[in-house]
């Protein structure tokens, strides 16, 4: 009797161990993919003097995948009211940027528990040049230099080639002499 009892307990342990192994390996198949937000560590070999990294959120980072980019203009990054915003797009960013898929809005920056979303749409005139290397945004009212966060929302298909793409932001304040000043750079990563 004791042989039968010990044999059944061994079978139970083997069955429990095997099912735990199957559950563990099967659970890894259903885990969500990592999100495409920028990493915590970024290194540049020889950064330009005055280089400033701007925050962004990218819904998808895979090649040819539909993505929504939120290019943030946080309150602490804006020193003056912005009358005109220019985004310099690298010429090797081979994606079709359409003006009807671009917008400017006041944004609620998300985190682990909340999604990034637009709170209020800012009416503005948006122009993209023929070479698709420059996006110019003229808001109806200047973007104030307060603590609110704003974002340029861009809905596109990611380019075919992977790489790191630097989008530079230049702002223009109201005044007699229209001078553009450097706000910072968004480093977009496509894998």
């Amino acid at each position: 009797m004791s042989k039968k009892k010990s044999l059944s307990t061994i079978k139970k342990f083997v069955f429990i161990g095997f099912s735990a192994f199957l559950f563990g390996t099967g659970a890894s198949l259903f885990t969500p993919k990592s999100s495409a937000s920028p990493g915590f560590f970024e290194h540049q070999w020889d950064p330009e003097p005055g280089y400033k990294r701007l925050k962004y959120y990218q819904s998808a980072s895979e090649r040819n995948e539909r993505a929504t980019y939120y290019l943030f203009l946080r309150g602490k990054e804006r020193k003056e009211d912005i009358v005109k915003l220019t985004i310099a797009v690298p010429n090797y960013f081979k994606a079709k940027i359409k003006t009807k898929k671009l917008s400017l809005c006041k944004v609620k920056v998300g985190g682990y528990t909340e999604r990034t979303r637009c709170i209020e749409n800012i009416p503005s005139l948006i122009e993209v040049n023929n070479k698709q290397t420059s996006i110019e945004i003229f808001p109806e009212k200047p973007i104030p230099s307060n603590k609110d966060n704003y974002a340029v929302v861009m809905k596109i298909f990611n380019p075919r080639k992977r790489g790191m793409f630097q989008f530079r932001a230049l702002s223009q304040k109201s005044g007699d002499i229209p001078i553009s000043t450097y706000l910072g750079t968004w480093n977009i990563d496509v894998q």
Side-chain angles (χ1 to χ4, degrees), residues 55-69:
K55 300 283 185 187
Y56 72 96
Y57 172 74
Q58 179 183 6
S59 65
S61 66
E62 296 295 319
R63 296 177 295 158
N64 292 329
E65 199 169 352
R66 184 182 305 226
T68 302
Y69 295 11

Side-chain angles (χ1 to χ4, degrees), residues 4-17:
K4 285 185 182 181
K5 219 176 201 185
S6 66
L7 189 59
S8 73
T9 55
I10 291 173
K11 284 183 183 179
K12 284 181 188 176
F13 282 120
V14 169
F15 176 74
I16 290 171

Side-chain angles (χ1 to χ4, degrees), residues 35-38 55-60 68-72 115-116 186 188:
S35 69
S37 61
K55 300 283 185 187
Y56 72 96
Y57 172 74
Q58 179 183 6
S59 65
T68 302
Y69 295 11
Y70 288 90
L71 307 175
F72 297 124
R115 296 181 81 173
T116 299
W186 296 287
I188 309 292

Side-chain angles (χ1 to χ4, degrees), residues 120-171:
E120 176 187 345
N121 195 19
I122 308 297
S124 52
L125 174 68
I126 300 174
E127 297 174 352
V128 179
N129 70 349
N130 291 335
K131 294 180 181 178
Q132 302 228 335
T133 56
S134 176
I135 302 169
E136 293 184 341
I137 302 169
F138 301 92
E140 279 186 6
K141 297 177 187 173
I143 299 172
S145 60
N146 55 16
K147 294 187 180 194
D148 293 334
N149 296 320
Y150 291 86
V152 175
V153 181
M154 186 165 50
K155 296 179 181 182
I156 61 169
F157 283 94
N158 284 332
R160 282 187 192 172
K161 295 185 178 178
R162 44 177 73 122
M164 177 77 73
F165 303 97
Q166 292 189 343
F167 287 40
R168 285 191 346 255
L170 302 168
S171 69

